[in-house]
């Protein structure tokens, strides 16, 4: 909704919410050989469904130490929930 600024954080995203949100998403404005975020989110949800208890967070590593903070249990970005 606020792209490219992306200042609105979705702290938790369920499959149902993602399905509704996906209808509003547009494709990448540039060439994306990795499949884009939609495919990554869908793969993550399928992994969560297969492995109960698996936790997935989508976050930006633009700020220093974000990866470290996530690895020690701090929440950052968006958590996917089933």
């Amino acid at each position: 909704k606020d792209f490219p600024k992306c200042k609105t954080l979705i702290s938790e995203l369920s499959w149902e919410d993602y399905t509704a949100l996906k209808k509003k998403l547009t494709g990448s404005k540039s060439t994306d050989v990795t499949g884009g975020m939609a495919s990554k989110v869908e793969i993550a949800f399928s992994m969560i469904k297969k492995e109960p208890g698996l936790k997935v967070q989508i976050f930006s590593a633009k700020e220093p130490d974000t990866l470290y903070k996530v690895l020690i249990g701090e929440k950052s970005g968006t958590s996917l929930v089933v």
Side-chain angles (χ1 to χ4, degrees), residues 6-65:
C6 297
K7 293 187 179 192
T8 302
L9 174 65
I10 300 171
S11 59
E12 206 171 79
L13 185 65
S14 69
W15 176 252
E16 293 78 16
D17 292 338
Y18 170 71
T19 303
L21 180 65
K22 183 179 175 184
K23 295 173 187 171
K24 298 177 185 177
L25 299 177
T26 60
S28 176
K29 303 292 183 208
S30 61
T31 303
D32 185 351
V33 298
T34 66
M37 281 307 296
S39 64
K40 291 175 184 67
V41 170
E42 289 174 16
I43 290 168
F45 271 118
S46 71
M47 292 171 64
I48 293 169
K49 290 176 183 176
K50 290 178 185 173
E51 295 292 330
L54 179 65
K55 295 179 182 178
V56 174
Q57 285 183 251
I58 299 171
F59 60 92
S60 170
K62 191 173 183 178
E63 296 297 320
D65 297 329

